[in-house]
């Protein structure tokens, strides 16, 4: 169908007989009806969920039969989204689940283990206009796959890819802005690096000598909750075997603690 978007070359890269990294693997296809009906008012969202459920069932069947399971799920949507987002060039979607089991044994008489299960939804769209191509993607992690809203995520990625390719140059001045989750998380990553006790002690961080001082806006609060099972980062001990706990890192703009390992904690006589 010429009105459909071309299939992404990732199929060839994965299972192509002459160029694929796994030429002997199989590719399975499931068609999804996107029409809304009285019986199915949510349309494609429910149908995509059903298709993914079938993939999960196939995965279990393959594993129980002694074969390799499903490694990658790739989803493409076509005509309806292309009409709404005319500059969209491609749309990709991948879903995966990761089971992690960790055990630590060391010379401090530590022998502990824990496990976790995390689901990831990845959606990427590219848009092209007058030879210029923009790409936008979102990666969402959940501990409960039922929380994924496929339709909402897909449309948000398509919308932002469309906005990116139609970007306009702004006048240089001050603006009130709202940070996206992606931008905010990148900023917090840098703050985390600067709060490293090792860098603090080496005087390599601009946040040295700021403990219990108000450095940020009073609206900023950063809390670590490693034992919250609702979060993908759930863990009951760190890589050194130290038991984790909830703690305020930044509270009302004030730095409440640096980030320590055992060695750096001994320097400051703290936990």
């Amino acid at each position: 169908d010429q009105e459909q978007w071309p299939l992404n070359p990732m199929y060839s890269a994965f299972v192509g007989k002459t160029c694929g990294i796994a030429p002997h693997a199989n590719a399975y296809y499931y068609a999804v009806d996107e029409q809304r009906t009285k019986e199915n008012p949510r349309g494609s969202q429910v149908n995509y969920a059903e298709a993914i459920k079938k993939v999960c069932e196939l995965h279990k069947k393959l594993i129980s039969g002694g074969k390799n399971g499903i490694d990658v799920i790739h989803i493409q949507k076509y005509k309806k989204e292309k009409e709404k987002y005319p500059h969209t060039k491609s749309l990709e979607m991948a879903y995966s689940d990761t089971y992690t089991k960790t055990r630590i044994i060391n010379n401090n008489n530590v022998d502990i283990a824990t496990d976790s299960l995390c689901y990831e939804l990845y959606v990427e769209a590219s848009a092209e206009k007058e030879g210029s191509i923009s790409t936008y993607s979102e990666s969402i992690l959940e501990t409960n796959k039922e929380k994924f809203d496929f339709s909402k995520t897909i449309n948000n990625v398509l919308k932002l890819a469309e906005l990116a390719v139609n970007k306009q140059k702004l006048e240089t001045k001050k603006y009130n802005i709202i940070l996206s989750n992606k931008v905010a998380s990148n900023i917090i990553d840098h703050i985390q690096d600067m709060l490293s006790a090792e860098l603090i002690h080496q005087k390599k961080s601009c946040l040295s000598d700021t403990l219990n001082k108000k450095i940020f806006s009073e609206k900023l609060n950063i809390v670590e909750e490693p034992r919250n099972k609702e979060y993908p980062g759930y863990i009951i001990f760190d890589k050194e075997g130290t038991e984790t706990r909830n703690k305020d890192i930044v509270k009302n703009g004030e730095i409440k603690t640096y980030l320590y390992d055992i060695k750096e904690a001994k320097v400051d006589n703290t936990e």
Side-chain angles (χ1 to χ4, degrees):
D1 186 343
Q2 293 184 350
E3 292 191 14
Q4 292 187 348
W5 297 334
L7 288 176
N8 192 282
M10 70 176 294
Y11 291 108
S12 295
F14 282 149
V15 297
K17 290 185 178 180
T18 58
C19 63
I21 59 174
H24 300 295
N26 294 321
Y28 300 89
Y29 296 86
Y30 291 88
V32 173
D33 184 0
E34 298 186 350
Q35 298 299 316
R36 296 176 184 270
T37 64
K38 291 182 179 180
E39 294 76 18
N40 184 10
R42 299 177 72 186
S44 61
Q45 183 176 339
V46 172
N47 293 336
Y48 271 98
E50 286 296 323
I52 291 177
K53 181 179 179 181
K54 291 181 180 179
V55 173
C56 293
E57 292 172 351
L58 175 61
H59 174 76
K60 292 179 181 178
K61 182 179 179 181
L62 291 170
I63 294 294
S64 64
K67 299 181 179 179
N68 292 328
I70 304 296
D71 289 324
V72 177
I73 297 178
H74 173 69
I75 299 176
Q76 281 193 282
K77 300 184 73 176
Y78 296 114
K79 187 174 180 180
K80 185 177 179 181
E81 280 67 29
K82 190 171 183 181
E83 291 174 350
K84 189 174 181 180
Y85 307 103
H87 298 103
T88 300
K89 183 179 180 182
S90 66
L91 172 66
E92 297 178 24
M93 179 173 163
Y95 167 86
S96 65
D97 59 80
T98 303
Y99 173 74
T100 304
K101 185 172 184 178
T102 305
R103 183 181 181 186
I104 292 181
I105 304 174
N106 61 32
N107 56 10
N108 293 322
N109 295 320
V110 172
D111 185 356
I112 50 178
T114 186
D115 59 359
S116 63
L117 182 60
C118 179
Y119 303 91
E120 180 179 9
L121 173 63
Y122 177 82
V123 182
E124 179 180 301
S126 65
E128 182 176 10
K129 182 179 180 182
E130 299 175 354
S132 176
I133 299 178
S134 294
T135 301
Y136 183 82
S137 64
E138 282 189 11
S139 180
I140 302 175
L141 300 176
E142 291 284 1
T143 56
N144 181 357
K145 60 179 178 292
E146 301 299 329
K147 289 185 176 181
F148 287 131
D149 189 330
F150 295 96
S151 180
K152 180 180 178 180
T153 304
I154 290 170
N155 277 281
N156 186 56
V157 170
L158 287 169
K159 180 180 72 175
L160 292 174
E162 187 82 8
L163 287 173
V165 82
N166 286 289
K167 58 189 175 184
Q168 298 178 359
K169 187 175 181 179
L170 295 176
E171 178 185 352
T172 301
K173 63 178 184 180
K174 291 184 177 180
Y175 293 91
N176 292 322
I177 62 172
I178 298 176
L179 299 178
S180 69
N181 292 343
K182 183 183 291 188
V183 173
S185 65
N186 286 335
I187 293 174
I188 292 175
D189 281 343
H190 288 299
I191 294 176
Q192 175 180 303
D193 292 339
M194 291 186 288
L195 288 174
S196 162
E198 181 179 5
L199 296 183
I200 294 290
H201 293 152
Q202 295 174 355
K203 302 296 183 181
K204 293 182 178 180
S205 169
C206 63
L207 294 180
S208 296
D209 302 318
T210 58
L211 193 62
N212 296 317
K213 295 180 181 179
K214 187 176 179 181
I215 302 299
F216 306 104
S217 164
E218 63 181 12
K219 296 179 181 179
L220 180 64
N221 292 280
I222 301 177
V223 180
E224 183 179 14
E225 295 184 8
R227 290 175 172 265
N228 190 328
K229 292 186 177 182
E230 294 293 314
Y231 299 153
Y234 169 77
I235 189 169
I236 60 174
F237 55 82
D238 64 18
K239 61 183 179 181
E240 295 179 307
T242 302
E243 186 178 3
T244 60
R245 59 183 174 83
N246 294 347
K247 56 179 174 288
D248 292 317
I249 297 175
V250 176
K251 186 173 183 179
N252 299 327
E254 183 178 315
I255 296 177
K256 307 304 292 184
T257 183
Y258 294 137
L259 304 178
Y260 295 94
D261 57 16
I262 294 176
K263 176 184 175 182
E264 301 301 329
K266 288 181 178 179
V267 175
D268 285 350
N269 192 29
T270 188
E271 295 184 355

